[in-house]
Amino acid sequence: MAEIELKNLTIDFAGFKAVDNVNLTVRNGEFVVYLGPSGCGKTTTLRCIAGLVKATSGDVLFDGRRVNDMSASERNIAMVFQFVSLYPHLKIRENIVFPLKARGVPRAEIARKLDWVVGIFGLAADLDRYPASLPPGARQKVALARAVIREPAVLLLDEPLSAIDEQFREEMRWELGHLQRELDVTTIYVTHDQREAMSLADRIVLMSDGRIVQVGEPDRIFFEPENVFAGQFIGSPSMNLIDLVPVDGGLRLGDSGVTLTPARNRIPQWAVTSRRKLKLGVRPLNVHLVEPGVPIASSLAVDDVFSVGRDRFFNFSIGGNAYQGVDKRPNRTTPAEAVHFVPEGLLFFDAETGRRVTGDAA
């Protein structure tokens, strides 16, 4: 294992800052997931940690040792890419032990390590097969086994599941998390898929435009996003973001005519008296359908109610903009023309900066 530290890391490509002054510490044995849209700098950061891309400025440290000038082979890392690159003419056992043979490791040691990784990855029945005969998920497991058989200090994974069909991806996602815990190796994983990030990560590093937006445990980023980007990028369906208009005694939801008040809707008093222009952020799971006449409800137009698997959602409109909520009513045959915002799920964002605002900040 190794602790990885990035200090003021900047990577510039002909005037374009792909990575802009990034600072981060990845602890020993931690599973950190870099998450963000395409082009945000997450893969470039990973490749710099691997030694495949040179930093323009700043430092990469392994266990406190600066490794900027060390080659990838000197850093004791293993990397698995999006597309599996196994040798098609070699059997699975030969693919797995290839890095050890290339280094001249003694046969007895190769046999010991092969037994070790085969047991971890459950590949004993496939050792004498060729890669083409395995399903995509199994081929990716072989690539992972080949990567870890050298017992690297750091395991780097660049979207390793994105090329696998969805039916295999769910299984591999669970297995990958289990394997990382068993291997206890410091792991950095790059993805644009928030489901992978939320299910695998000890911590998520959310990136946008070459910079770190937020670092934290999955639940914290989901429930306490630091800005509008984090709130809307994480979560499916995305967080509702609604303009707030100050009026006497409360905050009106856009031009809906519906006003949230401290007494009825338990919104904080500071939000009502704040001089900032605010937006309300509320996740669909905190917006419920209720029957007309419920005191805490707001009379908003419900456009549609629909099911996705076991979940039942609804759409509602404010000023021509569509938003979503979750229908949790036990009796769904009664009319549902009112919407309830769960007070504990209400977040407030500065309309100009996009930063989340709390009572202390206000």
Side-chain angles (χ1 to χ4, degrees), residues 83-293:
F83 298 101
V84 180
S85 56
L86 301 177
Y87 300 108
H89 62 291
L90 298 180
K91 292 180 179 180
I92 297 307
R93 71 168 69 245
E94 295 166 328
N95 266 282
I96 293 173
V97 303
F98 186 87
L100 301 183
K101 284 189 173 182
R103 292 185 170 198
V105 175
R107 287 186 179 182
E109 181 69 4
I110 289 176
R112 183 188 68 80
K113 289 191 173 184
L114 179 63
D115 287 343
W116 170 64
V117 296
V118 165
I120 290 177
F121 288 90
L123 293 169
D126 299 321
L127 290 179
D128 292 318
R129 299 173 66 180
Y130 289 93
S133 68
L134 298 181
R139 289 200 294 271
Q140 193 62 283
K141 283 205 293 186
V142 174
L144 286 165
R146 185 176 63 184
V148 304
I149 197 170
R150 295 190 295 103
E151 300 184 65
V154 179
L155 180 61
L156 305 176
L157 306 172
D158 187 8
E159 305 210 37
L161 306 184
S162 61
I164 298 176
D165 293 340
E166 185 63 32
Q167 65 185 94
F168 299 108
R169 198 178 305 165
E170 290 289 340
E171 178 185 349
M172 275 299 297
R173 193 178 298 151
W174 180 88
E175 286 203 37
L176 188 55
H178 171 74
L179 292 168
Q180 193 274 340
R181 289 189 294 272
E182 188 168 345
L183 292 166
D184 197 27
V185 60
T186 304
T187 302
I188 301 178
Y189 185 107
V190 162
T191 184
H192 63 273
D193 187 329
Q194 60 173 291
R195 291 174 301 173
E196 291 181 9
M198 296 295 286
S199 61
L200 289 172
D202 293 327
R203 285 190 299 158
I204 292 174
V205 179
L206 182 61
M207 293 191 70
S208 177
D209 296 327
R211 296 188 174 188
I212 293 177
V213 174
Q214 186 171 353
V215 180
E217 296 176 357
D219 280 357
R220 181 169 183 182
I221 291 184
F222 184 83
F223 289 108
E224 300 178 35
E226 292 185 1
N227 60 18
V228 167
F229 174 81
Q232 294 203 301
F233 190 83
I234 301 287
S236 181
S238 182
M239 173 181 282
N240 298 305
L241 199 66
I242 306 170
D243 290 326
L244 293 175
V245 180
V247 296
D248 289 342
L251 296 168
R252 192 181 71 220
L253 300 174
D255 60 359
S256 66
V258 173
T259 298
L260 304 182
T261 66
R264 183 182 179 191
N265 307 99
R266 291 165 50 194
I267 62 171
Q269 187 64 43
W270 68 259
V272 176
T273 58
S274 174
R275 295 182 180 181
R276 296 172 183 256
K277 291 182 179 179
L278 298 174
K279 289 182 180 287
L280 175 68
V282 57
R283 294 204 177 277
L285 64 86
N286 288 317
V287 186
H288 300 165
L289 271 184
V290 292
E291 287 73 21

Side-chain angles (χ1 to χ4, degrees), residues 45-59:
T45 303
L46 189 79
R47 291 174 65 84
C48 185
I49 294 170
L52 302 176
V53 171
K54 192 172 181 62
T56 304
S57 61
D59 293 317

